[in-house]
Amino acid sequence: MRYLLSDIARMCGGELRGKDCWVGDVVTDSRRYAFGAGAMFVAMRGKNHDSHDYIDAMYRSGVRAFMVERQGIVAEDAGYVCVDNALEALQRLAAAHRASFRGTVVGITGSNGKTIVKELTARALPAGTRLVASPMSYNSQLGVALSLLMIEGDEDVALIEAGISEVGEMERLERMIRPDVVVMTSIGDAHQANFESVEQKVKEKLILARHARRVIFHSDYAEVSKVLAQMQLPFVDAALEEVENQPLLNEVKRTNRQLVKALCHELGRECTLPDGFDVAMRQEVKEGVYGSTIINDSYNSDINSLALALDMLRSVALGGRTLAVVSDILQSGMADEELYERVAYLVQRAEVDLFIGVGERIKAHSEKFKCESRFYSTTDDLMRALTHEDIEGRTILLKGNRRSRFETLCHQLERRSHTTTLEVNLDAMTHNVGYFRRFLPMNHRLVAMVKAHSYGAGDVEVAQLMQRLGVSYLAVAFADEGIVLREKGITMPIVVLNADAGSFDKMVAHSLEPEIYSFHSLEDFSRSVERYGAQAYPIHIKLDTGMHRLGFVEDEVEELIERIKQNRAVRVASIFAHLSCADDPAQDDFTRGQIALFDTLSGRIAEALPYDVIRHTANSAAIERFPEATFDMCRLGLGLYGYGYEHNDELQPVATLKTRIVQLRRRSSGEPIGYGRSQRLERDSVIATIPVGYADGVDRHLGGGRWSMLVAGHAAPTVGRICMDSCMIDVTDIEGVKEGDEVVIFSPVRGNTLEDMAAVLGTISYEIMTSIAARVKRIYVRE
């Protein structure tokens, strides 16, 4: 994309003020570091944000082109396109830009599988195909507009995702995309809440195809067949495509591959997707050797997703040393000269400390990279050359094309080799924060509970995400948890909930803020502050309004006020209390009494102090159910992680526990399995052993068939007792199982969820999540 601001004003119906600048990239997130030359910042107003507040910061970062809804100070060397609604203006701009494109536009929609079909197609199209695709899951009203504006114009094919959640949205997306071909993936329950029926949802999605020459669908989805016939749209049934016969290629994967093959044929191009090829379509953050952190984004290396990956590198590194390893970029619509000039510019913008290029094409343009840089012809050459100094303490981005074999490099750099992994989906966590913010006023403060290793999900990675999402405070249980976060570069305020006198000095030394729940704790912490020569140190006063665990009671409030007013060492940052049963409708009267008492007591303290104090008592459940409890700030606990709300389809569970089969054995009917010979087989069976046990957090009470894990999407019940480091599952009825195949212990899939497991064990999801052992490798993914 390359337009003058005057062109953009004309195309979107805006008014140009100031300088007429060239625009080559569009930025809507002020937190982005890596963006192309000639970036235009689009400022928008929403329910929970107003990005006009960041125009000055973007100007200081070098941006000189802006699209705005409200006019501020006009800089002499900057230009502003003034519009009534920035999102609608951006959509009109995207529609006009798409209209000038002469390649083939493919619109991909459906309930699930849009991104995987897009990525599989990108790999299936033959070498030499010039391609642009929506980065990651850019399929919303904003994401589609941004994706279309990434089209350079010289590409052969553009793959654009289109996602909707309610009636009316596809109409706006179709006006932008105007696809030549539409691919309809699966139809399921996702986003069903805003549609009267599945048929209505299918009709809404197929609005995307009303001007398309062909719809590619799969007749396994009967609802799609029915609506296609009603709408009289031209279609191709992907079910007619031959697909390799692999027993563990489950129905979903088989259907996706057939859709991809049908699309390649429709585009008149050979399908080069190898048999059995699968694709991971996410960024993964892992612990690396020598104190490093690995961001594995090696499933592709296109220019658009590179900018997003470099942003993630900066945000994860938190100012620490960085290394970016990038391979040749395949299937770009640009000549190599322009392409690698852009890559070098993005790397410079992201302030990468060390850059390593892998491949002959990027190596040929090494002179464009002005930072410390090295280049290698192959991944093997790089692996032989990497040193301890290259890796130690760095945050390392791996961004490779499908031929670069960066997965081998990633494996070499990983710290833990345990086969069992806990995958934590950071996109789901971001979604959950957004879900709760819908119930709150704009810019309302939030505290994120990251105690107990973020409920088992990890520490610094979750804290980094909360920092990026604008959360005001983190809360940990003990000082040591806060110190770990400080040592890993987290600078935002951290509250220690179980603060004790033995840790007060360390807390002051690491700028951690204590929960003060008694006169003794107030006196002890004040002495620690005085020893460090500090004054007005922030503390958080805990009130007991009915939880009866910790906190000042009503009779102590007046004395508390007097002591605080006389105490120069500390300053009250917040006053808070816990609601003990906000999620239980049967006890709503008690909860309302707690809220009223908190309002009274906290109000008395706040009014008596000569400075502003934050008040908060609402947990995740109260945010939804008791708007009167939101006060100045709210706390996100288990709801942040998508648990504790089994009947809420809008929250997304963040964790998936996986392992792999290490051995398969055929066993005869009557044979005993495991310790104590507690279970005898009732038939001839195929038994798989997996390397996960109660030392990893899989409860012993899940043995003997009381829990089923998933192998290729099929249930595999446990057999015998759960051992310390391993257990056995029955895979007799699953065709084609082999050693090394993935086993899902729990996931967001219904029937296999953490809530389902908690019901079997008669416990709560908190207990299971916090029981996942530290030796289990955590992988943080973004899809």
Coordinates of all heavy atoms in Angstrom, one line a residue, residues 563-636:
R563 N -4.1 6.0 63.4 CA -2.7 5.5 63.2 C -2.1 5.8 61.8 O -1.0 6.2 61.7 CB -2.6 4.0 63.4 CG -2.9 3.6 64.9 CD -2.3 2.2 65.1 NE -2.7 1.7 66.4 CZ -2.1 0.6 66.9 NH1 -1.2 -0.1 66.3 NH2 -2.5 0.1 68.1
I564 N -2.9 5.7 60.8 CA -2.5 6.0 59.4 C -2.2 7.5 59.3 O -1.1 7.9 58.7 CB -3.5 5.5 58.4 CG1 -3.6 4.0 58.3 CG2 -3.2 6.1 57.0 CD1 -4.8 3.5 57.5
K565 N -3.0 8.3 59.8 CA -2.8 9.7 59.7 C -1.6 10.2 60.4 O -0.9 11.2 60.0 CB -4.1 10.5 60.3 CG -5.3 10.3 59.4 CD -6.6 10.8 60.1 CE -6.6 12.3 60.2 NZ -7.9 12.8 60.8
Q566 N -1.2 9.5 61.4 CA 0.0 9.9 62.2 C 1.3 9.2 61.6 O 2.4 9.5 62.1 CB -0.1 9.5 63.7 CG -1.2 10.2 64.4 CD -1.5 9.6 65.7 OE1 -0.7 8.8 66.3 NE2 -2.7 10.0 66.3
N567 N 1.1 8.3 60.7 CA 2.3 7.5 60.2 C 2.8 8.1 58.8 O 2.1 8.1 57.8 CB 1.8 6.1 59.9 CG 2.9 5.1 59.7 OD1 3.9 5.5 59.1 ND2 2.7 3.9 60.1
R568 N 4.0 8.7 58.9 CA 4.6 9.2 57.7 C 5.3 8.2 56.8 O 5.6 8.5 55.7 CB 5.6 10.3 58.1 CG 5.0 11.5 58.8 CD 6.1 12.6 59.1 NE 5.5 13.8 59.7 CZ 6.2 14.8 60.0 NH1 7.5 14.9 59.8 NH2 5.6 15.9 60.6
A569 N 5.5 7.0 57.4 CA 6.3 6.0 56.6 C 5.4 5.4 55.5 O 6.0 5.1 54.4 CB 6.7 4.9 57.6
V570 N 4.1 5.4 55.7 CA 3.3 4.7 54.7 C 2.2 5.6 54.2 O 1.8 6.6 54.8 CB 2.7 3.4 55.3 CG1 3.8 2.4 55.7 CG2 1.7 3.7 56.4
R571 N 1.7 5.2 53.0 CA 0.5 5.9 52.4 C -0.4 4.9 51.9 O 0.0 3.9 51.2 CB 1.1 6.8 51.3 CG 0.0 7.6 50.5 CD 0.7 8.4 49.4 NE -0.2 9.3 48.8 CZ -1.0 9.0 47.7 NH1 -1.0 7.8 47.3 NH2 -1.8 9.9 47.2
V572 N -1.7 5.0 52.1 CA -2.7 4.0 51.7 C -2.9 4.2 50.2 O -3.4 5.2 49.7 CB -4.0 4.2 52.5 CG1 -5.0 3.1 51.9 CG2 -3.8 4.0 53.9
A573 N -2.6 3.1 49.4 CA -2.8 3.1 48.0 C -4.2 2.6 47.7 O -4.9 3.1 46.8 CB -1.8 2.3 47.3
S574 N -4.6 1.6 48.5 CA -6.0 1.1 48.2 C -6.5 0.5 49.5 O -5.8 0.1 50.4 CB -6.0 0.0 47.1 OG -5.6 -1.2 47.6
I575 N -7.9 0.4 49.5 CA -8.6 -0.3 50.6 C -9.4 -1.4 49.9 O -10.1 -1.1 48.9 CB -9.5 0.6 51.4 CG1 -8.7 1.9 51.8 CG2 -10.2 -0.1 52.5 CD1 -9.7 3.0 52.3
F576 N -9.4 -2.6 50.5 CA -10.1 -3.7 49.8 C -10.6 -4.7 50.7 O -10.3 -4.8 51.9 CB -9.2 -4.3 48.7 CG -8.1 -5.2 49.2 CD1 -8.2 -6.6 49.1 CD2 -7.0 -4.7 49.8 CE1 -7.2 -7.4 49.6 CE2 -6.0 -5.5 50.3 CZ -6.1 -6.9 50.2
A577 N -11.5 -5.6 50.2 CA -12.1 -6.7 51.0 C -12.4 -7.8 50.0 O -12.4 -7.6 48.8 CB -13.3 -6.3 51.7
H578 N -12.6 -9.0 50.6 CA -13.0 -10.2 49.7 C -14.5 -10.5 49.9 O -15.0 -10.5 51.0 CB -12.2 -11.4 50.2 CG -10.9 -11.5 49.5 ND1 -9.7 -10.8 49.9 CD2 -10.5 -12.2 48.4 CE1 -8.7 -11.1 49.1 NE2 -9.1 -12.0 48.2
L579 N -15.1 -10.8 48.7 CA -16.5 -11.3 48.7 C -16.4 -12.8 48.7 O -15.8 -13.4 47.9 CB -17.2 -10.8 47.5 CG -17.3 -9.3 47.3 CD1 -18.0 -8.9 46.0 CD2 -18.1 -8.7 48.5
S580 N -17.0 -13.4 49.7 CA -16.9 -14.8 49.9 C -17.7 -15.7 49.0 O -17.4 -16.9 48.8 CB -17.1 -15.2 51.4 OG -18.4 -14.7 51.8
C581 N -18.8 -15.2 48.4 CA -19.7 -16.1 47.7 C -20.5 -15.3 46.6 O -21.7 -15.5 46.4 CB -20.7 -16.8 48.6 SG -21.5 -15.7 49.8
A582 N -19.7 -14.4 45.9 CA -20.4 -13.6 44.8 C -20.9 -14.4 43.7 O -21.7 -14.0 42.9 CB -19.4 -12.6 44.3
D583 N -20.4 -15.7 43.5 CA -20.8 -16.5 42.4 C -22.0 -17.4 42.8 O -22.4 -18.2 41.9 CB -19.6 -17.4 42.0 CG -19.1 -18.3 43.1 OD1 -19.4 -18.0 44.3 OD2 -18.4 -19.3 42.9
D584 N -22.5 -17.3 44.0 CA -23.6 -18.1 44.4 C -24.9 -17.3 44.6 O -25.1 -16.6 45.6 CB -23.2 -18.8 45.8 CG -24.3 -19.8 46.3 OD1 -25.3 -19.9 45.6 OD2 -24.1 -20.4 47.3
P585 N -25.8 -17.4 43.6 CA -27.1 -16.7 43.7 C -27.9 -16.9 45.0 O -28.6 -16.0 45.4 CB -27.9 -17.1 42.5 CG -26.8 -17.6 41.5 CD -25.8 -18.2 42.4
A586 N -27.7 -18.1 45.6 CA -28.5 -18.4 46.8 C -28.0 -17.5 48.0 O -28.8 -17.4 49.0 CB -28.3 -19.9 47.1
Q587 N -26.9 -16.9 47.9 CA -26.3 -16.1 49.0 C -26.2 -14.6 48.6 O -25.3 -13.9 49.1 CB -25.0 -16.7 49.4 CG -25.1 -18.1 49.9 CD -23.9 -18.6 50.7 OE1 -23.6 -18.1 51.7 NE2 -23.2 -19.6 50.1
D588 N -27.0 -14.2 47.6 CA -26.8 -12.8 47.1 C -27.1 -11.8 48.2 O -26.5 -10.7 48.2 CB -27.8 -12.6 45.9 CG -27.2 -13.1 44.6 OD1 -26.0 -13.6 44.7 OD2 -27.9 -13.1 43.6
D589 N -28.0 -12.1 49.1 CA -28.3 -11.1 50.2 C -27.1 -10.9 51.0 O -26.8 -9.8 51.4 CB -29.5 -11.6 51.0 CG -30.9 -11.5 50.3 OD1 -30.9 -10.8 49.3 OD2 -31.8 -12.1 50.7
F590 N -26.4 -12.0 51.3 CA -25.2 -11.9 52.1 C -24.2 -11.0 51.4 O -23.5 -10.2 51.9 CB -24.6 -13.3 52.5 CG -23.4 -13.2 53.3 CD1 -23.4 -13.0 54.6 CD2 -22.1 -13.4 52.6 CE1 -22.2 -12.9 55.4 CE2 -20.9 -13.3 53.3 CZ -21.0 -13.1 54.7
T591 N -24.0 -11.3 50.1 CA -23.0 -10.6 49.3 C -23.3 -9.1 49.2 O -22.4 -8.3 49.4 CB -23.0 -11.2 47.8 OG1 -22.6 -12.5 47.9 CG2 -22.0 -10.4 47.0
R592 N -24.6 -8.8 49.1 CA -25.0 -7.3 49.0 C -24.7 -6.7 50.4 O -24.3 -5.5 50.5 CB -26.5 -7.2 48.7 CG -26.8 -7.6 47.2 CD -28.2 -7.2 46.8 NE -28.5 -7.6 45.4 CZ -29.0 -8.7 45.1 NH1 -29.4 -9.6 46.0 NH2 -29.2 -9.0 43.8
G593 N -24.9 -7.5 51.5 CA -24.5 -6.9 52.8 C -23.0 -6.7 52.9 O -22.6 -5.7 53.5
Q594 N -22.2 -7.6 52.3 CA -20.8 -7.4 52.3 C -20.4 -6.1 51.6 O -19.5 -5.3 52.0 CB -20.0 -8.6 51.7 CG -19.8 -9.8 52.6 CD -18.8 -10.7 52.0 OE1 -19.1 -11.5 51.1 NE2 -17.6 -10.7 52.5
I595 N -21.0 -5.9 50.4 CA -20.7 -4.8 49.6 C -21.1 -3.5 50.3 O -20.3 -2.5 50.3 CB -21.4 -4.9 48.2 CG1 -20.9 -6.1 47.4 CG2 -21.3 -3.6 47.4 CD1 -21.8 -6.4 46.2
A596 N -22.3 -3.5 50.9 CA -22.7 -2.3 51.7 C -21.8 -2.0 52.8 O -21.4 -0.8 53.1 CB -24.1 -2.5 52.2
L597 N -21.4 -3.0 53.6 CA -20.4 -2.8 54.7 C -19.1 -2.3 54.2 O -18.5 -1.4 54.8 CB -20.3 -4.1 55.5 CG -19.4 -4.0 56.7 CD1 -19.8 -3.0 57.7 CD2 -19.2 -5.4 57.4
F598 N -18.6 -2.8 53.1 CA -17.3 -2.4 52.6 C -17.4 -0.9 52.2 O -16.5 -0.1 52.4 CB -16.9 -3.2 51.4 CG -15.7 -2.7 50.7 CD1 -14.5 -2.8 51.2 CD2 -15.8 -2.0 49.5 CE1 -13.3 -2.3 50.6 CE2 -14.7 -1.4 48.8 CZ -13.5 -1.6 49.4
D599 N -18.5 -0.5 51.5 CA -18.7 0.8 51.1 C -18.7 1.8 52.3 O -18.0 2.8 52.2 CB -20.1 1.0 50.4 CG -20.3 2.3 49.7 OD1 -19.3 3.0 49.5 OD2 -21.4 2.6 49.3
T600 N -19.3 1.4 53.4 CA -19.4 2.2 54.6 C -18.0 2.4 55.2 O -17.5 3.5 55.5 CB -20.3 1.7 55.6 OG1 -21.7 1.6 55.0 CG2 -20.4 2.5 56.8
L601 N -17.3 1.2 55.4 CA -16.0 1.2 56.1 C -14.9 1.9 55.3 O -14.2 2.7 55.8 CB -15.6 -0.2 56.5 CG -16.6 -0.9 57.5 CD1 -16.0 -2.3 57.8 CD2 -16.9 -0.1 58.7
S602 N -14.8 1.5 54.0 CA -13.8 2.0 53.2 C -14.0 3.5 52.9 O -13.1 4.3 52.8 CB -13.7 1.3 51.9 OG -14.9 1.4 51.1
G603 N -15.3 3.9 52.8 CA -15.6 5.3 52.6 C -15.2 6.2 53.8 O -14.7 7.3 53.6
R604 N -15.4 5.6 55.0 CA -14.9 6.4 56.2 C -13.4 6.6 56.2 O -12.9 7.7 56.5 CB -15.3 5.6 57.5 CG -16.8 5.8 57.8 CD -17.3 4.8 58.8 NE -16.5 4.8 60.1 CZ -16.7 3.9 61.1 NH1 -17.6 2.9 60.9 NH2 -16.0 4.0 62.2
I605 N -12.7 5.6 55.8 CA -11.2 5.7 55.8 C -10.8 6.7 54.7 O -10.0 7.5 54.9 CB -10.6 4.3 55.6 CG1 -10.9 3.3 56.7 CG2 -9.1 4.4 55.5 CD1 -10.5 1.9 56.5
A606 N -11.3 6.5 53.5 CA -11.0 7.3 52.4 C -11.2 8.8 52.7 O -10.4 9.7 52.3 CB -11.7 6.8 51.1
E607 N -12.4 9.1 53.3 CA -12.8 10.5 53.5 C -11.9 11.1 54.6 O -11.7 12.3 54.6 CB -14.2 10.5 54.0 CG -15.2 10.3 52.9 CD -16.6 10.2 53.4 OE1 -16.8 10.4 54.6 OE2 -17.5 9.8 52.7
A608 N -11.3 10.3 55.5 CA -10.5 10.8 56.5 C -9.0 11.1 56.1 O -8.3 11.8 56.8 CB -10.4 9.9 57.7
L609 N -8.6 10.6 54.9 CA -7.3 10.8 54.4 C -7.2 12.0 53.5 O -8.1 12.2 52.7 CB -6.8 9.5 53.8 CG -6.7 8.3 54.7 CD1 -6.3 7.0 53.9 CD2 -5.8 8.5 55.9
P610 N -6.0 12.7 53.5 CA -5.9 13.9 52.7 C -5.5 13.6 51.2 O -5.0 14.5 50.6 CB -4.8 14.7 53.4 CG -4.0 13.6 54.0 CD -4.9 12.5 54.4
Y611 N -5.6 12.4 50.8 CA -5.2 12.1 49.4 C -6.2 11.0 48.9 O -7.0 10.4 49.6 CB -3.8 11.5 49.3 CG -3.5 10.5 50.4 CD1 -3.9 9.2 50.2 CD2 -2.8 10.9 51.6 CE1 -3.6 8.2 51.2 CE2 -2.5 9.9 52.5 CZ -2.9 8.6 52.3 OH -2.6 7.6 53.3
D612 N -6.2 10.8 47.6 CA -7.1 9.9 46.9 C -6.7 8.4 47.2 O -5.5 8.1 47.2 CB -7.2 10.1 45.4 CG -7.8 11.4 45.1 OD1 -8.6 11.9 45.9 OD2 -7.5 11.9 44.0
V613 N -7.7 7.6 47.5 CA -7.5 6.2 47.7 C -8.3 5.3 46.8 O -9.5 5.6 46.6 CB -7.8 5.8 49.2 CG1 -7.6 4.4 49.5 CG2 -6.9 6.6 50.1
I614 N -7.8 4.2 46.3 CA -8.5 3.3 45.4 C -9.3 2.3 46.3 O -8.7 1.8 47.3 CB -7.6 2.5 44.5 CG1 -6.8 3.5 43.6 CG2 -8.3 1.4 43.7 CD1 -5.7 2.8 42.8
R615 N -10.5 2.1 46.0 CA -11.3 1.1 46.7 C -11.7 -0.1 45.8 O -12.1 0.2 44.7 CB -12.6 1.7 47.3 CG -12.3 2.9 48.3 CD -13.6 3.3 49.0 NE -14.6 3.9 48.2 CZ -15.9 4.0 48.5 NH1 -16.3 3.5 49.6 NH2 -16.7 4.6 47.6
H616 N -11.6 -1.3 46.3 CA -12.0 -2.5 45.4 C -12.4 -3.7 46.3 O -11.8 -4.0 47.3 CB -10.8 -2.8 44.5 CG -9.5 -3.2 45.1 ND1 -9.1 -4.5 45.2 CD2 -8.6 -2.4 45.7 CE1 -7.9 -4.5 45.8 NE2 -7.5 -3.2 46.1
T617 N -13.5 -4.3 45.8 CA -13.9 -5.5 46.5 C -14.4 -6.6 45.5 O -14.6 -7.7 45.9 CB -15.0 -5.2 47.6 OG1 -15.2 -6.4 48.4 CG2 -16.3 -4.8 46.9
A618 N -14.6 -6.2 44.2 CA -15.2 -7.1 43.3 C -14.2 -8.1 42.7 O -13.1 -7.7 42.2 CB -15.9 -6.3 42.1
N619 N -14.6 -9.4 42.8 CA -13.8 -10.4 42.1 C -14.4 -10.6 40.7 O -15.3 -9.9 40.3 CB -13.7 -11.7 42.9 CG -15.1 -12.2 43.3 OD1 -16.1 -11.7 42.8 ND2 -15.2 -13.2 44.2
S620 N -14.0 -11.7 40.0 CA -14.5 -11.9 38.7 C -16.0 -12.1 38.6 O -16.7 -11.5 37.8 CB -13.8 -13.2 38.1 OG -12.4 -13.1 38.1
A621 N -16.5 -12.9 39.6 CA -18.0 -13.1 39.6 C -18.7 -11.9 39.8 O -19.8 -11.6 39.2 CB -18.3 -14.2 40.6
A622 N -18.2 -11.0 40.7 CA -18.9 -9.8 41.1 C -18.9 -8.8 39.9 O -19.9 -8.0 39.8 CB -18.3 -9.2 42.3
I623 N -17.9 -8.8 39.1 CA -17.9 -7.9 38.0 C -19.1 -8.1 37.1 O -19.7 -7.2 36.6 CB -16.6 -8.1 37.1 CG1 -15.4 -7.6 37.9 CG2 -16.7 -7.3 35.8 CD1 -14.0 -8.0 37.3
E624 N -19.5 -9.4 36.9 CA -20.6 -9.7 36.1 C -21.9 -9.5 36.8 O -22.9 -9.0 36.2 CB -20.5 -11.2 35.7 CG -19.5 -11.6 34.7 CD -19.5 -13.0 34.4 OE1 -19.2 -13.9 35.2 OE2 -19.9 -13.3 33.2
R625 N -22.0 -9.8 38.1 CA -23.3 -9.9 38.8 C -23.6 -8.7 39.7 O -24.8 -8.5 40.0 CB -23.3 -11.2 39.6 CG -23.0 -12.4 38.8 CD -23.3 -13.7 39.6 NE -24.7 -13.8 39.9 CZ -25.1 -13.8 41.2 NH1 -24.3 -13.7 42.2 NH2 -26.4 -13.9 41.4
F626 N -22.6 -7.9 40.1 CA -22.9 -6.8 41.1 C -22.2 -5.5 40.6 O -21.1 -5.2 41.1 CB -22.4 -7.2 42.5 CG -23.1 -8.4 43.1 CD1 -22.5 -9.7 43.0 CD2 -24.3 -8.3 43.7 CE1 -23.2 -10.8 43.5 CE2 -25.0 -9.4 44.2 CZ -24.4 -10.7 44.1
P627 N -22.8 -4.8 39.7 CA -22.2 -3.6 39.2 C -21.9 -2.6 40.4 O -21.0 -1.8 40.3 CB -23.2 -3.0 38.2 CG -24.5 -3.7 38.5 CD -24.1 -5.1 39.1
E628 N -22.7 -2.6 41.4 CA -22.5 -1.7 42.6 C -21.2 -2.0 43.3 O -20.7 -1.2 44.2 CB -23.7 -1.7 43.5 CG -23.8 -3.0 44.3 CD -24.6 -4.1 43.6 OE1 -24.7 -4.1 42.4 OE2 -25.2 -4.9 44.3
A629 N -20.6 -3.2 43.0 CA -19.3 -3.6 43.7 C -18.1 -3.2 43.0 O -17.0 -3.4 43.5 CB -19.3 -5.1 43.9
T630 N -18.2 -2.5 41.8 CA -17.0 -2.3 41.0 C -16.1 -1.1 41.6 O -14.9 -1.1 41.4 CB -17.4 -1.9 39.6 OG1 -18.3 -0.8 39.5 CG2 -18.0 -3.2 38.9
F631 N -16.7 -0.2 42.3 CA -15.9 0.9 42.9 C -14.8 1.5 42.0 O -15.1 1.8 40.8 CB -15.3 0.5 44.3 CG -16.4 0.2 45.3 CD1 -16.9 -1.1 45.5 CD2 -17.0 1.2 46.0 CE1 -17.9 -1.3 46.5 CE2 -18.0 1.0 46.9 CZ -18.4 -0.3 47.2
D632 N -13.6 1.5 42.4 CA -12.5 2.2 41.6 C -11.7 1.1 40.9 O -10.9 1.5 40.0 CB -11.6 3.0 42.5 CG -12.3 4.0 43.4 OD1 -13.2 4.7 42.8 OD2 -12.1 4.0 44.6
M633 N -11.7 -0.1 41.3 CA -10.9 -1.1 40.7 C -11.5 -2.5 41.0 O -12.3 -2.7 41.9 CB -9.5 -1.1 41.3 CG -8.5 -2.0 40.7 SD -6.7 -1.5 41.1 CE -6.6 -1.8 42.8
C634 N -11.2 -3.5 40.1 CA -11.7 -4.9 40.3 C -10.6 -5.8 40.1 O -9.6 -5.6 39.5 CB -12.8 -5.1 39.2 SG -14.2 -4.1 39.3
R635 N -10.8 -7.0 40.7 CA -9.8 -8.1 40.7 C -10.2 -9.2 39.8 O -11.3 -9.7 39.9 CB -9.5 -8.6 42.1 CG -9.0 -7.6 43.1 CD -8.6 -8.2 44.4 NE -9.7 -8.9 45.0 CZ -10.5 -8.3 45.9 NH1 -10.5 -7.0 46.1 NH2 -11.5 -9.0 46.5
L636 N -9.3 -9.7 38.9 CA -9.5 -10.8 38.1 C -8.7 -12.0 38.6 O -7.5 -11.9 38.6 CB -9.1 -10.5 36.6 CG -10.0 -9.6 35.8 CD1 -9.4 -9.4 34.4 CD2 -11.4 -10.1 35.7

